[in-house]
Structures are given as structure tokens and as C-alpha cells.
Amino acid sequence: MMAAVEEKCPVDGREDYTQDGTVDLKGRPVLRAKTGGWRACFFIVGYEVFERMAYHGISSNLVQYLAKKLHEGTVKSSNSVTNWVGTIWMTPILGAYIADAHLGRYWTFVIASGIYIGMCLLTLAVSVPALRPPSCGHGVKEVDCNKRASSLQVGIFYCALYLIAVGNGGTKPNISTMGADQFDEFEQKERTQKLSFFNWWFSSILFGTLFSNTLLVYVQDNVGWSLGYGLPTIGLLLSVSVFLVGTPFYRHKVPSGSPFTRIANVLVAALRKRKVPVPTDPKELHELSLEDYTKMGKFRIDYTTSLRFLDKAAVKSGPSSPWMLCPVTQVEETKQMMKMIPVLFATFIPSTIISQVNTLFIKQGTTLDRSMGPHFEIPPASLTTFVSIFMLITVTIYDRYFVPTVRHYTKNPRGITLLQRLGFGLVLQLIIMVTACLVERKRLSIARENHILGKHDTVPITIFILLPQFALAGVADAFVEVAKLEFFYDQAPEGMKSLGTSYCTSSIGIGHFFSSFLLSTVADITKRNGHKGWILDNLNVSHLDYYYAFLAILSFLNGLFFLLVAKFFVYNDVPQSKRDIAMEAPLSKA
């Protein structure tokens, strides 16, 4: 009887602490009731709202600034933007490594936020007379201006942009990962909340994006670039302040050593023992005890039969150095990171497709009728607002209605699998490029019928003819981008979550670099043999429709590759250590 009472009335208070290994900044266990959950995520999400406002305040209209102020042509300005965005999304690999191996997510984020000083330099570069490109004078259109920015002015502008990229490398892979860390998977309510976190994470981002794509774009086009970049700078300072205010509420994961070193240990050991036979019984492989992992604050991972070549690293043969013998859990961590690589490859083309939104789609808008009354023209970059609006609507419907309904039939907590969600988004991206191709063919046909062939001539079609491709881009993002981020975070091992998140960011970066390469290559190849080429500075005599059709074909072929990858992908099992803790949790309260 007493035992029953003790089981219902715990005396040691252990049930009040998180069970997932999270600690406070000083490494002490944290109380669930006073930390984490949405209480902490409100500050993290608040940061992201302002930070996205700052980022999109630059990127949404950057192609226009490069064309107007630095006088870069269609291909060069588009490539400048895609190369910068590509760098923005590649530097998180370094930030993820530093966080997972040394500093942890919080301190990596805080230090990287300081490097964001490049935003202040960018504002100075468009504001201070000595640093900004020379004015053409009153009444002179910038397109007719012969004045050019000096090498120093161009250098400072790009230096500021790439300083921002470096700062982003430390913040981007850690902020969303840290947000997911605020939910304890061993507590039913928090585990359920975590399933919705990434949906609402992207929804919150959209509020900052909406502000930048409407008000900031208008300010940049009609008031000035000084204020247009000054406001995002202030927003960035506010975002960091909001994040720091939430410090007492955050839960932290302890750095677990270099993920690259642990992966390299396994690869080198497996190669060195490539001729060693693997025992048929997995229990004969080298593995640490559950108690050893508990002392280290890590989870043990069960043996799997995938990528069996790597099992050689755990065969008990020869020296026992880390470069010759690795425990099964370390081998399984490497397997989990490597088996996601084909999925990573399948996301490069989708990132290439979506990079067109802030480059060629906006360039199209500059050739169309933008009038919204006698005294107002809609900035082409503001059409990206519809990407945010439709993504917000789609994410809300998906999370609040679709998932609960489908979950009832599939018994999957997410409704459908992450790869199914990603696959549906890839279909939508194919439809986007087909739609963009048809719209461009319509625009070119009207331009030719009316002999509108000048570089700066406007085709008499409303700019809102582009709305379908922007709106569909928002719907596709709600499937592709959310699924990518959640997939790479969810399928990465516990000690490599930031690295897993960097898979998502690097896919965007590589996609943008590939877009830049593809655009330049297609532009050069199609100019040969006396042809004008598909992509010229004058869009009214170009063939963007051919280029969009080419991207649609690439998207279709990539979709076939994705289907093959998804068919053979095996999702991770819950680690045995997690199952043990989940089962023992009620007993630990006694």
C-alpha cells in the first residue's frame, strides 16, 4: 500500500526535470515547468520575425539595386543575387560544426549575431555620399545615367553583403534547432507540440517577410535606399535584443564533440578494415554499455542493416584507436547522416527553381504595366508578398485541418510522412515552371504583336499576370521548405542536429549556386552561331520562356530521381536509450 502511495506521490521531484538531456547555461538540469516549450519559443520566434524582415529587406529588391545603382545587366545582377544567397545558405555548415562540437547553439548564435554588423556597413554604403554610387542628377533617369560606382564603392557594398553571410552562418542553423530543443520528447504534451513547431516556425517567419516585401520594398523604390536599409538594420538589432531577453527560459543541448571527426573516424576505420569480414551476429560488434552512454549524457542507437560496409568500423580486429575501432552507435550516427545524402541531392533542383522568384520573376515584372492609379506604381519586388501570404495560408490549413484529418486514417502523427510532403511540393514546383513558361510566352507574343521591343519598353499587360507563379511558389514552399527542415532535423542523430539542419540550408545554397551557373551557361551557349540568346538584358527580345521550359524538364527529371530515393529510404528507429527512458519515466517518479 505504501509503495502505491509513493508511486503516485513522488518524493524526489525528478518528474519536474526534463528527460532529454537539456540543461541551463551552467550545465545544470532544468525544470520543465519554468523553461522551454512555447514559453521559450516565443522569444526565438520573435527573433526570427525581425531577422527575416532584415534579410528579405535586402534580398527582395537587391536585383533592382544592382541594376539601377551598379548598372549590372540581367544575367550579372541575377547571378550576383543568387551567389550571395547561395553563400548565405552555405556558411551554416561551419556554424553547425562550431555549435555541435564546441560552443553549443546559444553561444554560437550570440557570437554570430555580432558579426551581423555587416548590416550597419550596408546601410552606410547606401547612405554616406562618399560610399554610395554617384547620383545621376535631377530629372535624369538612372537607366540613362552614365555615372558608375567606383571600385571602392562596389567593394564596400559587396563586403557588407558577405559579412552578413558570415553572420548568418552562425545564426541560421542554430536558431530553428534551438527552438526544436525547447520541447522534451519524453513528455507527451511537449512531444505533440514539437510536431507542429516547424509549421508555426515558418508561419512566424512570414510576418517579417510580409513587412519587408511590402513596406520596405516601397520605401526603397520611392523614398530611398538609406531608409530602406536603415529600417532592416534597426529590425535586426531588435531581433537580437528579443532573443537575449528570453535567455533565462531556454533549454540547451550540451556540445557532443565534432560531428565531422566522428564521421571521419568511421569512414577511415571502415576503409582500413575493408577486407575484414563482418560477423553475422551484431552483438559481436564493438559497442559501449548503456551505462557508459548515460554517464556521457548520450543515447545509444540500435544496430541497423543499412550501409553494412560501415559496420567494418565496429569489428573487433586490430588496434582500438578511434581511427580503427568505433562503437556501433557512432557507426549508426554516420549511417544516419550518410543515408540522407541522396535526399539532399534531390533538393538541389527545387532550390534552383525557387531561386527564380527573387531574380527572373522580378525582372519579368519590370517589363509589365505596374500602375495602380495615377500616382502609384507597384514595385515588382512586392509581388513576393504573395509568396508569403499563400505560404502562411497553406501552412495554417495544413497544420490545423489536413494533419488532424489524415492522421485519423494513416495513424501517422504528422498525417503523412515528411518525404510524401516534400514530394507533393516538388510536383507543385513543376507546375510553377510550366505556368511561368506559359505566362512568358503570352507576354512575348503581345510584345511582338505591338512591336514593343525596346529594352525599357513596357508591355501593356498588368503585372498581376505573374500572380499565379508567385502564389504557387508560396504553396510549394509550405510543403518543400518545411518538410526539408523538419526532415533533416528529425533524421539527424541527437549529437548532430545542427549539422542536420545545415543539410537543409546547404541544399538552398547549392541550388542558388547551380542557378547562377545554369543561367550563365545557358545564356552563353544560346548566343553561339549567330543567335541572340535566350537571356539578354532586353527581356522583350529574350526567350525566358525557353529557359523556364528547360527548368521544368529538370524539375521533372529530378522528381523521378526523388521517387527512387524516397522508395528506398528507411526512417530512423527511436534509439533504445530513448525507449528505455520513456518506459522508465513513470518508475523514476517513485
Side-chain angles (χ1 to χ4, degrees):
M1 182 68 174
M2 181 61 70
V5 173
E6 288 179 1
E7 185 171 343
K8 292 182 180 179
C9 303
V11 295
D12 60 4
R14 287 178 60 190
E15 80 284 358
D16 293 331
Y17 291 91
T18 57
Q19 300 292 312
D20 60 353
T22 49
V23 296
D24 64 11
L25 273 179
K26 296 182 179 180
R28 300 171 301 193
V30 289
L31 290 169
R32 182 180 292 114
K34 294 184 178 180
T35 60
W38 284 111
R39 176 196 300 102
C41 284
F42 284 143
F43 295 98
I44 295 175
V45 166
Y47 160 84
E48 193 68 5
V49 170
F50 287 109
E51 193 276 338
R52 287 295 88 184
M53 180 194 76
Y55 167 73
H56 285 285
I58 303 171
S59 63
S60 295
N61 220 13
L62 182 57
V63 69
Q64 287 292 85
Y65 183 88
L66 296 176
K68 289 182 177 180
K69 297 295 185 179
L70 302 187
H71 301 280
E72 295 185 358
T74 299
V75 173
K76 186 176 181 180
S77 62
S78 296
N79 285 349
S80 294
V81 173
T82 51
N83 287 337
W84 175 68
V85 174
T87 305
I88 281 276
W89 293 106
M90 288 300 294
T91 52
I93 296 176
L94 177 60
Y97 162 75
I98 294 173
D100 281 341
H102 302 291
L103 299 180
R105 310 199 220 291
Y106 178 87
W107 289 115
T108 303
F109 173 89
V110 170
I111 293 172
S113 295
I115 304 176
Y116 249 140
I117 194 68
M119 193 71 196
C120 299
L121 180 59
L122 187 68
T123 301
L124 292 175
V126 300
S127 304
V128 177
L131 300 179
R132 70 188 182 198
S135 172
C136 297
H138 182 69
V140 179
K141 294 184 178 179
E142 289 172 351
V143 295
D144 299 323
C145 180
N146 292 321
K147 295 182 179 181
R148 295 290 185 268
S150 67
S151 298
L152 176 63
Q153 291 167 336
V154 173
I156 290 176
F157 183 82
Y158 277 104
C159 177
L161 284 180
Y162 281 90
L163 272 176
I164 293 171
V166 172
N168 187 83
T171 60
K172 183 51 62 183
N174 293 306
I175 188 67
S176 59
T177 309
M178 189 173 169
D181 289 344
Q182 304 309 307
F183 300 97
D184 185 354
E185 292 187 359
F186 302 113
E187 202 278 325
Q188 179 61 44
K189 181 179 178 181
E190 291 192 15
R191 182 165 63 248
T192 302
Q193 290 174 335
K194 188 173 184 176
L195 294 176
S196 295
F197 168 74
F198 288 104
N199 287 329
W200 292 106
W201 168 258
F202 270 91
S203 296
S204 65
I205 290 173
L206 299 179
F207 289 108
T209 307
L210 282 171
F211 179 82
S212 63
N213 290 344
T214 51
L215 180 61
L216 286 183
V217 167
Y218 175 81
V219 169
Q220 290 166 356
D221 275 7
N222 297 279
V223 179
W225 295 95
S226 298
L227 184 61
Y229 282 165
L231 289 175
T233 302
I234 295 171
L236 188 60
L237 294 174
L238 283 174
S239 68
V240 176
S241 300
V242 168
F243 176 84
L244 293 176
V245 169
T247 297
F249 302 101
Y250 299 145
R251 300 172 185 172
H252 307 273
K253 291 289 182 72
V254 178
S256 55
S258 169
F260 296 116
T261 301
R262 300 207 301 279
I263 292 172
N265 286 156
V266 174
L267 296 178
V268 170
L271 285 172
R272 294 172 105 178
K273 295 194 287 188
R274 58 187 177 276
K275 296 182 180 180
V276 175
V278 178
T280 56
D281 187 356
K283 293 181 180 179
E284 295 181 25
L285 297 174
H286 173 59
E287 178 61 304
L288 304 180
S289 67
L290 184 59
E291 290 73 20
D292 290 332
Y293 285 111
T294 301
K295 291 177 183 178
M296 293 186 292
K298 298 181 179 179
F299 295 107
R300 190 170 68 182
I301 305 177
D302 293 338
Y303 171 82
T304 64
T305 57
S306 63
L307 301 175
R308 292 203 65 190
F309 172 79
L310 297 178
D311 294 343
K312 295 177 182 291
V315 175
K316 298 174 183 177
S317 172
S320 59
S321 73
W323 297 97
M324 285 295 292
L325 183 64
C326 304
V328 170
T329 291
Q330 187 175 344
V331 172
E332 292 300 323
E333 285 180 333
T334 304
K335 288 181 180 181
Q336 289 179 8
M337 296 305 298
M338 292 191 66
K339 74 180 185 179
M340 290 193 294
I341 291 178
V343 180
L344 176 64
F345 287 162
T347 62
F348 294 160
I349 295 299
S351 296
T352 299
I353 299 297
I354 210 63
S355 69
Q356 311 309 313
V357 171
N358 286 325
T359 53
L360 294 181
F361 283 11
I362 292 177
K363 280 285 188 179
Q364 278 181 286
T366 63
T367 67
L368 299 170
D369 180 11
R370 292 169 278 159
S371 61
M372 293 288 289
H375 305 293
F376 179 74
E377 287 189 350
I378 181 172
S382 65
L383 284 184
T384 54
T385 301
F386 292 101
V387 177
S388 302
I389 291 173
F390 278 84
M391 184 177 181
L392 179 60
I393 293 172
T394 304
V395 166
T396 303
I397 294 174
Y398 184 89
D399 188 77
R400 307 307 294 177
Y401 300 102
F402 178 80
V403 172
T405 301
V406 176
R407 181 192 294 153
H408 178 72
Y409 299 99
T410 64
K411 309 303 180 185
N412 187 319
R414 292 187 173 91
I416 57 176
T417 68
L418 294 172
L419 290 182
Q420 287 172 339
R421 182 174 184 175
L422 178 56
F424 185 74
L426 300 189
V427 173
L428 289 176
Q429 286 194 336
L430 172 60
I431 296 173
I432 289 171
M433 296 319 303
V434 172
T435 301
C437 175
L438 295 176
V439 168
E440 180 64 5
R441 287 179 65 85
K442 177 69 173 178
R443 188 190 71 82
L444 288 175
S445 67
I446 293 178
R448 288 162 188 157
E449 288 172 4
N450 293 275
H451 304 288
I452 302 173
L453 305 176
K455 180 178 179 181
H456 305 296
D457 290 346
T458 300
V459 180
I461 312 176
T462 175
I463 193 173
F464 289 106
I465 194 176
L466 301 179
L467 180 57
Q469 61 203 62
F470 279 95
L472 283 172
V475 178
D477 276 358
F479 288 89
V480 175
E481 298 307 319
V482 179
K484 273 200 310 183
L485 180 57
E486 188 171 358
F487 174 82
F488 289 124
Y489 172 88
D490 183 75
Q491 294 299 297
E494 286 296 325
M496 301 181 183
K497 292 297 187 185
S498 291
L499 181 60
T501 303
S502 73
Y503 271 27
C504 177
T505 61
S506 63
S507 79
I508 300 174
I510 293 173
H512 279 74
F513 283 130
F514 184 66
S515 174
S516 179
F517 166 78
L518 202 62
L519 187 64
S520 297
T521 303
V522 170
D524 290 341
I525 290 177
T526 54
K527 281 183 182 178
R528 296 176 184 174
N529 301 322
H531 296 289
K532 291 183 178 180
W534 288 1
I535 308 162
L536 307 171
D537 290 344
N538 182 358
L539 293 187
N540 290 330
V541 294
S542 296
H543 267 294
L544 275 185
D545 54 335
Y546 293 173
Y547 184 64
Y548 288 158
F550 175 62
L551 290 178
I553 294 171
L554 281 183
S555 182
F556 174 75
L557 295 175
N558 181 74
L560 297 179
F561 171 67
F562 173 79
L563 286 176
L564 183 65
V565 169
K567 178 179 176 61
F568 292 101
F569 186 84
V570 179
Y571 289 89
N572 297 336
D573 288 331
V574 177
Q576 180 63 46
S577 305
K578 278 193 175 184
R579 291 200 297 267
D580 291 343
I581 292 176
M583 292 176 64
E584 294 172 3
L587 299 177
S588 68
K589 299 176 183 179

